[in-house]
Amino acid sequence: MTYPTQPTASHFINGAYVEDDTGMPIDVIYPATGAVIGRVYSATPAIIDQALRAARNAQAAWAAMTGTERGRILRRAADIMRDRNHDLSVLETYDTGKPYQETSVVDATSGADALEYFGGMAATLTGEHIQLGEDWVYTRREPLGVCVGIGAWNYPTQIASWKGAPALACGNTMVFKPSETTPLCALKVAEILHEAGAPAGVYNVIQGLGDVGAALVADDRVDKVSLTGSVPTGRKVYAAAAAGIKHVTMELGGKSPMIVFDDADVENAVSGAILGNFYSSGQVCSNGTRVFVQSGIKEAFLTRLAERLKGAVIGDPQDPATSFGPMVSERQLGIVEGYIANGQEEGARLVYGGKRLAKDGFFIEPTVFADVTDDMTIAREEIFGPVMAVFDFDDEDEVMARANDTEFGLAAGVFTRDLARAHRVAAGFQAGTCYINTYNDAPVEAPFGGSKLSGVGRENSKAAIAHYSQLKSVYVRMGDLEAPF
Ligand code: NAD
């Protein structure tokens, strides 16, 4: 099968596609059919070395350019990405199985937003002047050096751009390793940056599994690691980075609460629950998978939810009419099926879905459990699939304690018409990203990231700059210098 904008080799290093078929083969599987649609090869030690050398060699000259010059390249890349949105979206759909209805509006487009935003910001990155009598200090905002980005499989274009754009704006270079499950899209990000004028070696992509990621993290030439992945992987990567006292950003998993109070608009709350559980077939880190519904609105909420779920169009994700696609892989489908069985065994009431579809590909129905209790496995563990757990609650204090009773802290949402309560609840959430009467927005202008086990650092917004640069203080003495002897 061919598809538009097919990358021509496994890796993109030093401004060119590079192949080395002595690496372990990684098949690219189209989740909607299970067919093998491509093959890349894992990076060998020689490829890893080549990529890091390229990034290291390119860094000083890239950092020496003015912010305006670097920013112009990023903004040009944003324009190219937007111009090619259709082809990139088709590729994203082949890579992930997410419906074109989604990929055409959130993947290359949000990648382009990040390139444009940080491109615009590159020229504004400055230090400050601190007067100390007649002496003074000035600070220089300097890049960290070589950054490694490691991606998850749910948003391959977006993750490659969200990490690359701020890193490059600050004058760093990058070696990005996409998830082995979705190796294609990051190569297009590299290709577009190169076409936009990024010098060779500034943004490199190499393929591989966890071992390649681990080799990158451990390498002395690397100054910073930004991971998007699960908590278990985050623990390993954070520990390995600590050995070299490297900077880290950790965007990890979640089990986020969404609270629906009796006074909420039912249609909006159901919309929030659908967006926060079934978008991308539930494969979104910030999903509000624990939906707490106050007793007075429970039946109305569940009735409307079931009615609206019948409107999901499940099928060929390349068809623009399709609104719900397959899971990314057979493995992820198996994990989700296991949790659904577990939910039934532990006594949750299955009120919608639960079954794999009798067709090729990794399709499973959007699934809703009601009467879920806090100790059930489906209430505590991240499923990363289309499985919503609905809980009952009566009062605010009780639900806040239960909502925060999790080791994760990525996101949280509240639906209510009571303004004071909305802000009180948002303030009380132990989570990095909170939503009032909405769910799962992630504009580049706002910081995104987790607290507790869900992560360290923030992506997007001005906050990301602090995670891709460091300050140097320069002390300036205007007069004579005294010494004790
Ligand atoms: P994963 O943890 O299995 O893998 C993530 C990446 O880490 C992959 O590229 C993998 O090859 C690499 N990796 C694995 N072991 C490694 C090691 N020892 N050293 C270095 N790299 C290693 O995650 P996944 O299954 O690809 O993605 C799903 C997870 O990602 C979920 O937990 C989800 O919540 C999380 N996620 C978080 C965010 C966020 O922004 N917070 C966004 C998307 C996904």
Side-chain angles (χ1 to χ4, degrees):
M1 183 187 295
T2 55
Y3 36 91
T5 65
Q6 192 168 5
T8 55
S10 300
H11 318 291
F12 194 95
I13 302 173
N14 213 22
Y17 274 108
V18 175
E19 194 54 283
D20 177 357
D21 61 11
T22 63
M24 188 191 77
I26 300 172
D27 284 339
V28 186
I29 294 168
Y30 182 36
T33 60
V36 175
I37 55 165
R39 169 172 283 187
V40 296
Y41 296 90
S42 177
T44 57
I47 288 287
I48 296 171
D49 179 61
Q50 209 177 315
L52 287 172
R53 238 177 324 121
R56 182 46 74 203
N57 289 342
Q59 199 264 320
W62 177 244
M65 287 167 67
T66 65
T68 308
E69 289 167 327
R70 285 198 302 274
R72 192 178 300 132
I73 291 167
L74 297 184
R75 287 185 294 104
R76 208 179 286 139
D79 290 344
I80 299 174
M81 210 175 254
R82 281 211 186 86
D83 287 348
R84 295 188 194 156
N85 183 46
H86 169 73
D87 284 356
L88 294 170
S89 304
V90 170
L91 187 71
E92 176 97 17
T93 291
Y94 277 120
D95 221 4
T96 63
K98 291 184 296 178
Y100 177 84
Q101 196 184 90
E102 292 186 13
T103 57
S104 56
V105 293
V106 300
D107 289 287
T109 52
S110 75
D113 283 353
L115 290 162
E116 183 172 1
Y117 179 86
F118 288 106
M121 194 177 277
T124 73
L125 304 176
T126 57
E128 61 177 342
H129 170 98
I130 304 156
Q131 194 71 41
L132 298 168
E134 67 169 1
D135 298 339
W136 42 284
V137 176
Y138 64 93
T139 60
R140 291 166 49 90
R141 185 166 286 284
E142 298 188 342
L144 302 174
V146 174
C147 300
V148 160
I150 300 176
W153 40 253
N154 56 346
Y155 285 85
T157 304
Q158 184 185 85
I159 294 170
S161 307
W162 279 17
K163 296 188 188 310
L168 269 51
C170 291
N172 305 282
T173 55
M174 177 160 270
V175 177
F176 185 83
K177 188 201 84 65
S179 165
E180 57 273 26
T181 310
T182 52
L184 302 177
C185 296
L187 290 165
K188 302 311 292 185
V189 176
E191 202 184 300
I192 287 170
L193 277 163
H194 178 66
E195 197 177 323
V202 163
Y203 188 89
N204 311 276
V205 173
I206 65 172
Q207 306 294 344
L209 280 63
D211 59 326
V212 173
L216 289 171
V217 175
D219 199 285
D220 288 343
R221 289 167 288 189
V222 173
D223 302 288
K224 194 235 154 87
V225 180
S226 177
L227 169 76
T228 297
S230 61
V231 171
T233 303
R235 282 205 171 93
K236 286 187 223 162
V237 171
Y238 203 172
I245 318 287
K246 293 173 186 174
H247 298 253
V248 295
T249 299
M250 296 279 145
E251 291 289 354
L252 307 177
K255 188 76 188 175
S256 301
M258 180 185 298
I259 302 177
V260 182
F261 284 95
D262 279 346
D263 69 344
D265 178 297
V266 179
E267 286 306 308
N268 285 340
V270 169
S271 294
I274 289 173
L275 288 170
N277 280 271
F278 301 123
Y279 208 72
S280 302
S281 299
Q283 303 162 114
V284 180
C285 52
S286 47
N287 270 355
T289 48
R290 293 186 294 135
V291 181
F292 293 89
V293 184
Q294 204 165 13
S295 334
I297 202 178
K298 177 181 169 183
E299 287 315 320
F301 177 87
L302 286 175
T303 303
R304 274 307 284 151
L305 180 64
E307 282 167 8
R308 288 185 48 188
L309 285 175
K310 290 197 193 96
V313 181
I314 309 178
D316 174 8
Q318 298 288 359
D319 180 344
T322 297
S323 57
F324 188 86
M327 303 303 300
V328 76
S329 64
E330 182 90 55
R331 180 170 171 275
Q332 194 61 25
L333 174 65
I335 291 171
V336 171
E337 288 183 302
Y339 277 110
I340 291 172
N342 183 288
Q344 289 173 296
E345 280 156 25
E346 293 188 1
R349 180 163 60 99
L350 183 67
V351 294
Y352 197 89
K355 289 186 300 296
R356 181 174 183 167
L357 298 196
K359 68 202 293 293
D360 286 345
F362 315 131
F363 290 90
I364 189 153
E365 295 171 310
T367 298
V368 180
F369 281 105
D371 304 335
V372 181
T373 55
D374 298 357
D375 53 344
M376 289 179 185
T377 309
I378 58 164
R380 306 213 66 82
E381 296 182 11
E382 182 183 45
I383 299 173
F384 221 56
V387 183
M388 181 194 301
V390 179
F391 306 70
D392 304 336
F393 81 93
D394 289 310
D395 77 83
E396 186 182 321
D397 288 346
E398 167 217 336
V399 78
M400 285 310 287
R402 292 168 64 198
N404 285 331
D405 181 20
T406 168
E407 58 189 2
F408 298 107
L410 191 53
V414 54
F415 282 82
T416 178
R417 286 192 176 101
D418 179 336
L419 206 59
R421 174 160 60 196
H423 294 289
R424 189 168 60 236
V425 166
F429 278 140
Q430 295 167 2
T433 305
C434 296
Y435 302 101
I436 295 173
N437 294 332
T438 181
Y439 207 85
N440 264 352
D441 314 64
V444 69
E445 296 88 345
F448 183 84
S451 58
K452 294 158 78 176
L453 289 192
S454 293
V456 174
R458 293 291 177 267
E459 295 199 302
N460 289 341
S461 78
K462 293 194 277 281
I465 297 301
H467 301 290
Y468 283 101
S469 62
Q470 57 194 338
L471 289 174
K472 175 187 281 176
S473 295
V474 181
Y475 293 76
V476 181
R477 184 82 173 194
M478 298 299 286
D480 292 335
L481 193 61
E482 287 179 16
F485 53 84

